[in-house]
Amino acid sequence: MSDPPVLSFRPTAAQFAWTFGGNEPAARIQPGTVLRLWTEDCFAGRVRGKDDLVSQVCEFPFLNPQTGPFYVEGAEPGDTVAGHFIAIEPSRDWAASTTVPLFGALTSTHLTATLNDPLPEIVWLWELDRARRTCRFTARDSDFSAELPLNPMHGTVGVAPANLEVRSALVPDAFGGNMDTPEMRAGVTCYLGVNVPGALLSIGDGHARQGEGETCGVAVECAMDTVLAVELLKGVATPWPRLESDTHIMTTGSARPLEDAFRIAQVELVHWIAAEYGLSPMDAYQFVTQAVEAPLANVCDTNYTSVAKLRKDWLPGGAVMRGMHEQLGEIARVYRGG
Amino acid sequence: MSDPPVLSFRPTAAQFAWTFGGNEPAARIQPGTVLRLWTEDCFAGRVRGKDDLVSQVCEFPFLNPQTGPFYVEGAEPGDTVAGHFIAIEPSRDWAASTTVPLFGALTSTHLTATLNDPLPEIVWLWELDRARRTCRFTARDSDFSAELPLNPMHGTVGVAPANLEVRSALVPDAFGGNMDTPEMRAGVTCYLGVNVPGALLSIGDGHARQGEGETCGVAVECAMDTVLAVELLKGVATPWPRLESDTHIMTTGSARPLEDAFRIAQVELVHWIAAEYGLSPMDAYQFVTQAVEAPLANVCDTNYTSVAKLRKDWLPGGAVMRGMHEQLGEIARVYRGG
Amino acid sequence: MSDPPVLSFRPTAAQFAWTFGGNEPAARIQPGTVLRLWTEDCFAGRVRGKDDLVSQVCEFPFLNPQTGPFYVEGAEPGDTVAGHFIAIEPSRDWAASTTVPLFGALTSTHLTATLNDPLPEIVWLWELDRARRTCRFTARDSDFSAELPLNPMHGTVGVAPANLEVRSALVPDAFGGNMDTPEMRAGVTCYLGVNVPGALLSIGDGHARQGEGETCGVAVECAMDTVLAVELLKGVATPWPRLESDTHIMTTGSARPLEDAFRIAQVELVHWIAAEYGLSPMDAYQFVTQAVEAPLANVCDTNYTSVAKLRKDWLPGGAVMRGMHEQLGEIARVYRGG
Amino acid sequence: MSDPPVLSFRPTAAQFAWTFGGNEPAARIQPGTVLRLWTEDCFAGRVRGKDDLVSQVCEFPFLNPQTGPFYVEGAEPGDTVAGHFIAIEPSRDWAASTTVPLFGALTSTHLTATLNDPLPEIVWLWELDRARRTCRFTARDSDFSAELPLNPMHGTVGVAPANLEVRSALVPDAFGGNMDTPEMRAGVTCYLGVNVPGALLSIGDGHARQGEGETCGVAVECAMDTVLAVELLKGVATPWPRLESDTHIMTTGSARPLEDAFRIAQVELVHWIAAEYGLSPMDAYQFVTQAVEAPLANVCDTNYTSVAKLRKDWLPGGAVMRGMHEQLGEIARVYRGG
């Protein structure tokens, strides 16, 4: 296998994309290209200290800047783009998290509207130790401190939406977007159905780590140096984003209420394994019921995101999605060796 | 430590409890007692072959028989009973799963009422290999077959409810009940707040294994031989069921919509670690956000159940709940040695 | 028509029922009986002034006292009891409303759990002018005052639940209970499916008036003098409570999330008119879609309640439910004339 | 008062707008202008007979064509545009309704995803008698027929969204859009917060009539001849759409689950009357609780829409929204007299 084409792109502040859809491509790439990207954090880099409150330093709607979009040559509606994360590395030795007024799972919000007073707005700075692969939490109101493993991931990966829409980069939906799942880590392939010519893929919202559900609405947010191999599956439609690692296949659903997000992800998994392994839908329903893991992604965004996850070694041999994950893994190996 | 008192109880069909609350105690036990119990499956043992459809062989509302209740001497409202699962072992070499008309996550139900035709009613029999710790799925409509690990658990563990209520054994709520979480396995301590004198603890609904969310509404259902050590925490209130393993502390919430179940479990975890480690609620909110796992339990029962789960080695040393899990582990060791 | 049998019952505090199910009958009545009842307010009469905060003067779970239950001779599971409200009259010249901590639609609650501070607990006393048929609101924090029409109703009407359950009088569900719909006014017949022998009908929770949704969770609560004619429909099953006035037929659904309550009420209405008028379900779906009113009942209780309401004069002639509403209206006329 | 400027616009098929945002203005208008518009039905006029199934004759995403958008001179973010419906008249003597696969409240959908078979796709043609102000339903599967009152309304009224977004004309949200409330009838003023310069107001989706909740997802859809007076409130922000008739003020909320839509509308009404009448939020909460009507708009669209409605004669005298409704009523009178 010859070396894959490589494109490096580090956007300036003026080059950020703030939406899925509605942006001119940052570049056009051939399927098989490796992208070396830098992504800014969800605060557009403006939260740098404990006094940098989002409501004061950030400028709505300029949140969650995306790097891209990339026009994938040959991608057309009905196809699927596959993005394989070769590396996701924090590009700073610190990260920030905050509460944001009327945002998060354990607070009144603009949608779950109440008359209660809002929660206080607080910033936490996390120290990242990239050598030891840890990040350190320091409490604001006591001397509690704790070290957690780094688990770098992208909260936001998406393409231009269908139905002529342009969506905020804060939204997760069938086009991907701000799904905020910790499963979006290095080694994982993300499959996204194409809605417009060129797909217009972009990524952002790096997290040094995140719990499942992203409870307060904000993860350990940091800028990232990310390497992503991009491929194209012609003639394969993917209704909702799918993920694949060396060990698991995964589906996602993004909706409200949360049970609808769960339903979408589970129905997608049932249909997927029924199609790949010749199972009837009812047999696949039974098998998924007993075998699935259901880690929540986010319960705070415009839509909530649920993941359905199945171990590959519990399934018959043979690759899914035409072996695209294995093919991208090979590109990753060649790239790393290069 | 002296040998714990041991009580063995294998209910006859006439001795099953079908509700939480409303039943005379099967026995009265001292805190510290080890219970050796047998539980029938959720079908009351009536689904034994592929033609045993629930709608035909089961008699509503006589589903999900409970073994118990046990009156824990000294337990009063405001206390907490702790049940530690020493062993949960399938008592047969087969188990059954089914679809049930208008029940499950991926179908119209009595509550998510639609005009669509209901799904077909189907029975799957699973073969259990207790030596190899596996269970085998065989598809009904193709020659697909797969072997999954045994992961024996109890779907239903609960006490009598508050508010003068009597609830069906199919319901999960603040009193525990039909939470259907795979986390309820051997080695785990379950904490339940006491609502009535004696607590009236009972268990049932053994599953040879279950995926997260119990998608079709029915797990790999089997009768169980279960050993459970029971203790009492005087003066400790537990608003919603908590679990503790050697590696994790866990909270649960049961409600609809699913985001409310998530909110309850997460708020409970925030308050729990704030209280145990002297964190402010906002600091605890931030820490939980980045550290929590959120595996779904069920998205099919009367209330949906969400679990919030935190690694103990990410927390400062020192036991929670007054060291009750460690104390029960010691009882388990003595019991096993006896 | 001969005079109907009349039973008067004014419970003492010791005679209140606090649940649906689980209570001995207050009396046994023949179908066709007219009940002359007094019901205490939801606070058990303990909120009498602005300083009587629910959290201080009320004793949980002794809220929402019910008058009854009445054992209807001959009622068996599969039948329907019909209660026709001949009169609902406030028995005092004042009524109270309050906020209750962690209860209501526009606040964090025990189920929609957040970390926000709870709302303040406040009492409002309303003056009732029974002659002018008005009630007067007086603001606590300004000199705003307003007069609204009296619209006396019962928030709670129910029978013993199915499935061996006993439910708090605060719960609305398929057995009726705390539905909190302003449609439950004089002139209306309420149909409830029978789950246990004798049905065990009870009523309570009088409201001088209430908005749709009962937003803060508490209406203009007052004791009532109520006259209710009770009948029995043998062999008619009613899955969810139905109401009928001289002008409308109505169905109810009680569930969470609110769309499920809506779905239940609408599906029930579709099936009802399909059965009564020989429509196919799809034709009934279309007709209901264009003709239905959907006034919310409560969005604050354990289950939310949605009402589906159809004008009778838009339907073909001929009575529904075997003409029971007309028959009860005749009893009412005879009773009033007596 | 001099005659208002009048602009007539009947879009060709090529001139329809299919989104809110993302379109060039159809025209620029001065505040105070009367628009005489024609709107096509939601099917883009393609469902004309019983065999015209949406899935076959319509071309996604080209559904729900909008007439507009109109650039209101002087409108800037933070202002409010007010559209007063002077007349809404069916422009044909028939209208169509249908089921649409996986769309509607009483069916599995793309979001409430299940494994049930979809409902059949059926078309109903309604006959409109514009002189008698009625529309006639004819069942497909029996000889049932019924006449209902005409109640012409617009399902869709909106401006360009905030946050750089472009949304499908099928979506209701804070920008208005596809709210599908029967309250949007002649005589009503609709207030919409401005998000982009010129507001970019458009309307569409005429319904000859509709029940509350739009249960099957599709109303009695027809092309409309509509007259709309447009004004501008400088410096008045309107977070969610408001409506005002001669008798009522109304707020709307659009979200999922339905209780969130309810919460938004009710919180908006609480804040609105608190601001207009000097009430504290808690007093307003109490008053709204007892006085509000809560008719559902739609329980089928991407977001569900709930309306909160208050009688003006229960409020102190004095106009709201700076008397804009009265001012527009005056324009309507002058226009009609002209």
Side-chain angles (χ1 to χ4, degrees), chain D residues 39-42 153-156 204-208 220-224:
Chain D
T39 61
E40 183 47 283
D41 67 30
C42 70
M153 50 162 280
H154 278 282
T156 312
D205 195 23
H207 299 164
V220 183
E221 310 283 342
C222 66
M224 289 287 176

Side-chain angles (χ1 to χ4, degrees), chain B residues 36 55 72 111 152 197 200 205 209 215 229 237 247 256 262 264 272 287 295 299 306:
Chain B
R36 297 173 55 144
S55 65
V72 182
L111 297 179
L200 297 177
D205 195 23
R209 72 166 289 115
T215 313
T247 56
R256 290 188 177 204
F262 176 86
I264 292 166
W272 190 6
F287 182 69
V299 191
S306 179

Side-chain angles (χ1 to χ4, degrees), chain B residues 193-272:
Chain B
V194 177
N195 300 303
V196 304
L200 297 177
L201 175 70
S202 57
I203 69 169
D205 195 23
H207 298 164
R209 72 166 289 115
Q210 177 204 310
E212 292 171 354
E214 204 181 14
T215 313
C216 85
V218 184
V220 184
E221 309 283 342
C222 64
M224 289 287 177
D225 293 300
T226 291
V227 185
L228 178 74
V230 179
E231 261 295 356
L232 181 61
L233 280 130
K234 289 297 294 180
V236 174
T238 301
W240 286 87
R242 295 176 178 180
L243 284 78
E244 184 177 358
S245 69
D246 290 351
T247 56
H248 288 82
I249 61 170
M250 295 171 251
T251 51
T252 67
S254 295
R256 290 188 177 204
L258 185 54
E259 52 264 42
D260 272 2
F262 176 86
R263 285 175 179 127
I264 292 166
Q266 299 279 323
V267 163
E268 285 292 307
L269 188 59
V270 165
H271 287 321
W272 190 6

Side-chain angles (χ1 to χ4, degrees), chain A residues 146-185:
Chain A
E147 202 173 60
L148 301 181
L150 274 189
N151 183 17
M153 51 162 279
H154 278 282
T156 312
V157 182
V159 292
N163 298 326
L164 313 174
E165 290 203 317
V166 172
R167 303 305 309 274
S168 158
L170 296 168
V171 175
D173 209 322
F175 62 86
N178 195 23
M179 296 180 284
D180 283 321
T181 170
E183 305 293 344
M184 198 74 78
R185 58 171 69 92

Side-chain angles (χ1 to χ4, degrees), chain A residues 3 8 28 46 64 69 88 90-91 101 129 155 158 243 273 282 299:
Chain A
D3 282 358
S8 296
R28 299 172 83 99
R46 294 187 178 196
N64 206 20
I88 306 176
S91 75
D129 186 329
L243 285 77
I273 70 163
M282 292 304 289
V299 190

Side-chain angles (χ1 to χ4, degrees), chain B residues 43-44 46 50 88 117 127 168 187 192 295:
Chain B
F43 308 115
R46 294 185 178 198
K50 291 184 182 177
I88 305 175
D117 288 333
E127 302 160 52
S168 158
L192 296 164

Side-chain angles (χ1 to χ4, degrees), chain A residues 284-301:
Chain A
Y285 189 22
Q286 171 63 204
F287 183 70
V288 163
T289 295
Q290 316 309 347
V292 76
E293 295 165 71
L296 292 171
N298 90 75
V299 190
C300 56
D301 294 323

